[in-house]
Amino acid sequence: MVTFPSRRSPRAILPGFALSLGYSLLYLSLIVLIPLAALVLKASSLSWGEFWAVVSSPRVVAALGLSFGAAAIASLVNVPLGLLLAWVLVRYEFPGRRLVDALVDLPFALPTAVAGITLTALLAPEGWVGSLLEPWGIKLAYTRLGVVLALVFIGIPFVVRTVQPVLEGLGKEFEEAALTLGASPWQTFRRVILPPLLPALLTGFSLAFARTLGEYGSVVFISGNLPFQTEIAPLLIVARLEQYDYTGAAAIGVGMLALALGLLLLINGIQVRLSRRLEGE
């Protein structure tokens, strides 16, 4: 007697697809979509000319340029630094490794305002580091460089925690085989290690960029908040709210949202194309 395997799908741990999808869409709507829709709706009370006048004013353009530029530079800096830190934590055993691994998450847990006050006290001209750099004419606090440093501090865990599990899954066998076959350390890194890490590095970059783009607490103290120089876009939004200009604040927020969404979609597109190319190889 021939028996056929049952075509019934195995019992799922989570609820069925329809119920899971319903819960997911409800949660996404309550947490993300409805607040964003309210922001767009508030800004829509302005005419197109009034909206464009707000988002294209020189002060807003300067603040948006600083926020996006500093977030991009800090995320680019965090990519090699995060890769190096993840490499040390995964590939080497040393005393205090678990402590260093735990310290990576400190920017996650530390209130951003505390981080801003700490960095400002450290990098100010009278601080421990700032006083050493002051005689050389190097000023970090209340400059754009200080803003980038604060965002590097905030964004580094995103790159490390994204790359670390990929490195753990990438055994040493491939490196040892490449070295045995005569490849140099640089060739081994570029041709064997880097390709499988690229999607994770791009993900870490996009996460760090998205997190640092709207950062307020850690930047507001160290930036100095000088209009057209060190003023970030989130601070400009807060200033509009304090002046009860809710539509103006919403217009700046919608401008940031549109730019951030476009950049993240571009990064995700690059990541998908890169993943497909690696799978094809």
Side-chain angles (χ1 to χ4, degrees):
M1 180 178 180
V2 179
T3 59
F4 295 95
S6 174
R7 300 185 65 178
R8 294 179 58 186
S9 59
R11 190 176 180 182
I13 298 175
L14 294 177
F17 173 72
L19 190 58
S20 300
L21 181 63
Y23 278 130
S24 302
L25 291 178
L26 177 64
Y27 184 80
L28 186 65
S29 299
L30 291 176
I31 300 300
V32 179
L33 297 181
I34 291 178
L36 293 181
L39 176 69
V40 175
L41 188 63
K42 187 67 179 176
S44 65
S45 61
L46 295 172
S47 65
W48 171 251
E50 293 171 334
F51 174 81
W52 183 249
V54 172
V55 298
S56 64
S57 66
R59 187 173 176 180
V60 173
V61 171
L64 288 174
L66 176 60
S67 291
F68 279 85
I73 293 172
S75 301
L76 286 173
V77 170
N78 274 330
V79 168
L81 292 181
L83 173 59
L84 181 62
L85 189 50
W87 181 272
V88 170
L89 290 174
V90 172
R91 287 291 192 261
Y92 301 105
E93 291 288 342
F94 55 90
R97 176 178 170 274
R98 290 181 180 275
L99 177 62
V100 175
D101 193 36
L103 287 175
V104 171
D105 293 331
L106 191 60
F108 282 147
L110 193 67
T112 55
V114 176
I117 293 172
T118 304
L119 290 173
T120 304
L122 191 67
L123 303 178
E126 63 275 8
W128 289 354
V129 176
S131 60
L132 297 176
L133 299 176
E134 185 74 9
W136 298 86
I138 302 174
K139 189 176 181 180
L140 297 178
Y142 317 125
T143 65
R144 296 186 176 190
L145 185 56
V147 175
V148 173
L149 288 177
L151 298 184
V152 168
F153 175 80
I154 294 297
I156 187 73
F158 292 91
V159 179
V160 176
R161 293 309 184 208
T162 305
V163 173
Q164 199 170 357
V166 181
L167 268 178
E168 289 172 346
L170 192 67
K172 293 183 179 179
E173 303 82 16
F174 300 104
E175 307 164 32
E176 292 171 351
L179 293 172
T180 304
L181 292 173
S184 65
W186 170 245
Q187 289 175 325
T188 303
F189 174 77
R190 188 167 61 89
R191 295 179 178 272
V192 178
I193 300 173
L194 189 58
L197 288 179
L198 278 178
L201 288 172
L202 267 177
T203 302
F205 171 84
S206 60
L207 289 176
F209 178 74
R211 172 66 181 83
T212 55
L213 183 58
E215 178 60 23
Y216 176 79
S218 63
V219 180
V220 68
F221 298 108
I222 201 170
S223 66
N225 308 318
L226 296 175
F228 301 101
Q229 296 183 29
T230 60
E231 188 177 49
I232 56 174
L235 177 67
L236 210 51
I237 294 175
V238 173
R240 293 291 183 106
L241 292 175
E242 289 176 347
Q243 298 168 3
Y244 303 102
D245 183 10
Y246 298 118
T247 52
I252 300 173
V254 169
M256 285 194 72
L257 177 65
L259 290 172
L261 187 60
L263 286 174
L264 289 179
L265 288 177
L266 177 63
I267 294 171
N268 285 337
I270 295 173
Q271 186 181 3
V272 169
R273 290 193 61 180
L274 188 60
S275 299
R276 288 177 179 172
R277 183 178 175 184
L278 291 174
E279 288 174 0
E281 293 177 353

